[in-house]
């Protein structure tokens, strides 16, 4: 396999942050020697998450075995996912905002037609449903555990308890028509054909769309990590991957 120098669109702060976490993990475990230093292991893991490089590609580039690359990435994902905020912590962070934007996205995955629970009729492809919350500026505040792609957005939000949590904290929330009927503090646009809506309803929908469009930046920030654009791993690992990717975002914005 040919090896060439490349770059990762991440700041050195993300590398230092993950290196510190890995160094602490090695001290806790009493690790004396590894094939890679904590900085190289952090770089290996970030290359996998951000660029989507396979374990074979990483092993060739870093001069280690494929199994070792797999173990190093898994360890980095574990230490990052452990720091991911739960729903209660995310609500506390959201309560300091004027309002939040709730949206759902599908993380595509390679599954056959027989895997119906993972098939999204809306997107016409297999994947996992992840709910995200963004602040008024489009910054990512929270990403939910992953559910099968066949789960609708409103059901996913109710499953995670995010709608009730927002209502209890009296946090205003903007969402699309997929959350129609959710109640609480969630605001959705008027339903119906454009020609059938009144002038006032059209104005509300236009204003609502402008506010909600900012939330797409949070989804784009999540999918800037190429690994989430085409998942090829077990469905049981996807939640950990999403949480591991969320932590560097929150650390950079704090």
């Amino acid at each position: 396999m040919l090896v060439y120098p490349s770059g990762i669109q991440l700041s050195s702060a993300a590398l230092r942050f993950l290196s510190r976490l890995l160094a602490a993990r090695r001290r806790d475990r009493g690790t004396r020697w590894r094939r890679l230093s904590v900085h190289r292991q952090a770089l290996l893991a970030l290359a996998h998450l951000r660029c989507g490089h396979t374990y074979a590609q990483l092993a060739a580039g870093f001069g280690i075995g494929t199994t070792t690359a797999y173990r190093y990435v898994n360890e980095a994902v574990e230490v990052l996912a452990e720091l991911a905020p739960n729903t209660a912590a995310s609500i506390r962070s959201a309560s300091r905002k004027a309002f939040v934007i709730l949206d759902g996205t599908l993380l595509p995955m390679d599954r056959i037609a027989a895997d119906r629970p993972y098939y999204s009729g809306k997107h016409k492809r297999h994947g996992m449903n992840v709910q995200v919350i963004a602040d008024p500026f489009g910054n990512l505040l929270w990403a939910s555990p992953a559910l099968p792609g066949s789960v609708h957005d409103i059901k996913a939000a109710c499953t995670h308890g995010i709608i009730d949590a927002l209502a209890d904290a009296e946090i205003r929330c903007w969402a699309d028509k997929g959350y129609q009927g959710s109640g609480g503090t969630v605001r959705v646009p008027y339903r119906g054909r454009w020609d059938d809506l009144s002038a006032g309803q059209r104005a509300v929908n236009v204003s609502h769309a402008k506010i909600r469009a900012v939330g797409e930046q949070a989804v784009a920030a999540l999918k800037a990590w190429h690994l989430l654009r085409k998942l090829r791993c077990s469905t049981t690992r996807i939640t950990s991957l999403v949480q591991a990717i969320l932590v560097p975002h929150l650390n950079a914005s704090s």
Side-chain angles (χ1 to χ4, degrees), residues 15 20 25 36 76 85 93 118 131 167 172-173 175 188 192 217 245:
L15 179 64
R20 289 194 298 269
R25 172 62 67 91
L36 297 180
S93 177
Y118 302 101
Q131 301 292 300
R172 292 184 297 172
C173 175
V188 297
Q217 298 178 20
I245 288 172

Side-chain angles (χ1 to χ4, degrees), residues 8-19 22 39-53 58 62 72-73 76 80 225-227 244-245 248:
I8 306 176
Q9 291 181 335
L10 287 174
S11 68
S12 58
L15 179 64
R16 293 193 299 269
F17 173 70
L18 181 52
S19 297
L22 292 173
H39 297 287
R40 295 286 287 173
Q41 182 183 356
L43 185 62
L44 170 84
L46 292 175
H48 177 68
L49 296 173
R50 185 71 175 189
C51 304
H53 295 323
L58 294 171
F62 285 82
Y72 280 3
V73 169
L80 286 173
W225 297 73
H226 290 200
L227 185 67
I245 288 172

Side-chain angles (χ1 to χ4, degrees), residues 87 102 129 131 142 144 147 151-166 178-184 186:
T87 303
L102 175 64
N129 182 302
Q131 301 292 300
W142 175 77
S144 73
L147 294 176
V151 178
H152 295 284
D153 283 340
I154 185 172
K155 183 178 179 180
C158 292
T159 300
H160 301 308
I162 193 65
I163 293 177
D164 291 338
L166 290 171
Y179 299 89
Q180 195 81 31
S182 56
V186 178

Side-chain angles (χ1 to χ4, degrees), residues 1-253:
M1 185 178 294
L2 297 177
V3 178
Y4 67 97
S6 184
I8 306 176
Q9 291 181 335
L10 287 174
S11 68
S12 58
L15 179 64
R16 293 193 299 269
F17 173 70
L18 181 52
S19 297
R20 289 194 298 269
L21 295 179
L22 292 173
R25 172 62 67 91
R26 292 189 185 188
R27 287 194 300 269
D28 293 341
R29 292 183 173 181
T31 302
R32 296 183 178 181
W33 181 86
R34 291 281 187 93
R35 289 292 303 275
L36 297 180
S37 66
V38 290
H39 297 287
R40 295 286 287 173
Q41 182 183 356
L43 185 62
L44 170 84
L46 292 175
H48 177 68
L49 296 173
R50 185 71 175 189
C51 304
H53 295 323
T54 65
Y55 298 120
Q57 291 172 323
L58 294 171
F62 285 82
I64 57 177
T66 304
T67 303
T68 303
Y70 175 81
R71 288 191 293 104
Y72 280 3
V73 169
N74 273 3
E75 183 179 38
V77 169
E78 285 178 5
V79 298
L80 286 173
E82 289 173 357
L83 299 179
N86 55 23
T87 303
S90 300
I91 290 299
R92 287 195 296 270
S93 177
S95 64
R96 296 190 290 268
K97 310 297 180 180
F99 62 90
V100 297
I101 303 168
L102 175 64
D103 199 1
T105 186
L106 185 80
L107 303 181
M109 60 191 300
D110 56 344
R111 282 294 183 272
I112 61 177
D115 294 326
R116 299 301 298 178
Y118 302 101
Y119 183 79
S120 170
K122 174 182 177 181
H123 298 276
K124 306 300 187 216
R125 63 189 310 179
H126 293 82
M128 299 292 284
N129 182 302
V130 172
Q131 301 292 300
V132 299
I133 290 180
D135 67 10
F137 301 99
N139 298 315
L140 187 62
L141 297 178
W142 175 77
S144 73
L147 294 176
S150 60
V151 178
H152 295 284
D153 283 340
I154 185 172
K155 183 178 179 180
C158 292
T159 300
H160 301 308
I162 193 65
I163 293 177
D164 291 338
L166 290 171
D168 293 340
E170 298 182 350
I171 301 173
R172 292 184 297 172
C173 175
W174 267 251
D176 61 26
K177 294 179 181 179
Y179 299 89
Q180 195 81 31
S182 56
T185 57
V186 178
R187 298 292 178 262
V188 297
Y190 289 101
R191 297 188 65 179
R193 295 173 57 88
W194 181 259
D195 294 337
D196 296 334
L197 299 177
S198 66
Q201 290 174 331
R202 293 179 186 178
V204 170
N205 281 8
V206 170
S207 177
H208 189 283
K210 290 180 179 179
I211 295 174
R212 189 171 49 81
V214 180
E216 295 295 335
Q217 298 178 20
V219 175
L222 195 64
K223 291 189 175 181
W225 297 73
H226 290 200
L227 185 67
L228 299 183
R229 296 183 183 181
K230 185 66 173 180
L231 293 162
R232 296 179 176 85
C233 61
S234 169
T235 56
T236 58
R237 295 189 62 238
I238 295 176
T239 293
S240 295
L241 291 174
V242 173
Q243 292 174 337
I245 288 172
L246 173 65
V247 171
H249 275 288
L250 300 180
N251 180 71
S253 59

